[in-house]
Every structure is written in C-alpha cells, then in structure tokens.
Amino acid sequence: MKSFLPKKQINYIYIKKLHYKLHSYYFKIRANKRSFSLDIPHHKHIFWSWCGSFFGIALAAYLSVKTNSPLLIAPFGATSVLIFGVPDSPLAQPRNVIGGNCLAAMVSLMVLHVFGSEPWAMGMAVATAIGVMQLTATLHPPSGAVTLVVMMTKAPWEFLVTPVLEGSIILVLCAVIFNNLAKDRSYPKYWL
C-alpha cells in the first residue's frame, strides 16, 4: 500500500511517536517520590527480630552439625529477614515460607532432571517456580533463590526434604515462638 505522505513527513511522524514513547517511559522510571514510608522500626521490634533470626539460624545450624544433615541454605537468610523483620507480610506467612520453598524446590528438581542445568533451564526453573507460587498463593521471594541453589548444585531429590522442608519448618517454628513472645507482635496472620 502506497502512502500519500512524503517520505520525510512519514519519518517525522515515526520519530515523533518514538520521542513520545521514550518520554513516557522516562517518567515511569524516574521515581522521584517515595510511595511508601521508610520508617525505622521501634527498638523493641529490632530486638525481637534479632533474637528470632539468631536463634532460628543458630538452631538450624546446630541441628545440621548434630544430625550430620544439611539444614541450612543461603535463601534461609532471606527467609529470616521476612519472618522476623516483617512478620505481618503476606510473603512471610507459614503457607508461603514452607509451601513456596517446597514448590520452588520441586519445580527446579523436575526441570533439572529433565533438561539439566543449562542457563536457559535455570531461567525456566525460576520463571516456572514464580508462576506456580503465584497460582497456589504461596509466593515467597527467597524461594527464587532456592530454585537457583537446586539448579547450580545439581541437587538430588532428597534436597526437597533436607534442607528445604525441614529447614523451612524449623524457621517457621522459631518465628512462631519469638514473634509471639513480644507483647505487640503476632505471628502468623494465617496458617493456610
């Protein structure tokens, strides 16, 4: 189909549309105002967060040594930030911690054993784990790291139970104990 506009004018229209899109994109990403408050929590909350995360990680590490089975993986550090630092978050509830970690491990183990640990398979494992967690309402950000740990270490199927399931349960139990010791804290908001 032939255009009735001169070529220079067509180019000008395209350039103008591109300029508008870039200008619009710039205003989306510039983020000049905070949409939430970055308040520092009360020192009592910091104390309980510190105690809970200390004992949760220390207990998992102690049990790892005593039982000679790995109960700690790096993503559990991020899980501790959520369950002890922001226990009211929907992402920090037991359903999300245990369910999200287990689903992410299961998805990544399936991808690993079917496709191997190629870079594209790692991307597929993380993306699929996110989708499955969203579909099951068990979204837990550290579970994305669980997926990568499985893929990078070429973990066996036992990884799903030890450390993922057992370690998640230990951390949730510590979160229940320590978050409820504080007078003005309550955990969990829901179990299932």
Side-chain angles (χ1 to χ4, degrees):
M1 182 168 140
K2 186 160 170 122
S3 173
F4 293 106
L5 296 174
K7 192 168 187 165
K8 282 185 178 179
Q9 195 170 3
I10 293 172
N11 288 340
Y12 176 76
I13 292 170
Y14 287 131
I15 290 171
K16 193 168 183 168
K17 284 182 180 179
L18 178 64
H19 179 337
Y20 175 76
K21 287 182 180 181
L22 289 174
H23 187 68
S24 173
Y25 188 76
Y26 167 75
F27 279 105
K28 285 182 175 181
I29 65 171
R30 70 180 185 158
N32 62 353
K33 293 183 182 178
R34 285 191 184 140
S35 60
F36 59 91
S37 174
L38 294 175
D39 295 334
I40 295 174
H42 193 274
H43 65 277
K44 291 187 291 188
H45 289 287
I46 295 170
F47 171 76
W48 287 110
S49 297
W50 186 91
C51 286
S53 59
F54 171 81
F55 285 107
I57 296 295
L59 177 63
Y62 175 77
L63 291 173
S64 289
V65 171
K66 286 299 179 190
T67 62
N68 200 22
S69 66
L71 293 173
L72 273 183
I73 51 176
F76 288 166
T79 294
S80 293
V81 171
L82 285 172
I83 64 177
F84 297 110
V86 283
D88 293 339
S89 170
L91 304 173
Q93 301 310 306
R95 169 192 176 98
N96 299 70
V97 173
I98 297 168
N101 284 339
C102 289
L103 284 172
M106 193 179 318
V107 165
S108 57
L109 284 164
M110 285 190 268
V111 170
L112 175 68
H113 286 83
V114 172
F115 300 110
S117 62
E118 299 298 320
W120 66 267
M122 289 182 183
M124 184 169 127
V126 172
T128 306
I130 292 169
V132 169
M133 286 187 290
Q134 286 178 317
L135 283 171
T136 58
T138 57
L139 193 62
H140 183 62
S143 299
V146 169
T147 305
L148 286 177
V149 168
V150 168
M151 297 298 288
M152 292 169 61
T153 62
K154 298 178 178 81
W157 284 99
E158 295 81 26
F159 190 85
L160 179 60
V161 176
T162 304
V164 175
L165 176 62
E166 292 174 355
S168 297
I169 290 171
I170 289 169
L171 288 176
V172 165
L173 290 176
C174 287
V176 169
I177 292 167
F178 281 94
N179 284 324
N180 289 311
L181 286 175
K183 192 185 301 184
D184 52 350
R185 285 181 107 161
S186 173
Y187 183 84
K189 297 297 177 200
Y190 54 87
W191 283 96
L192 296 176

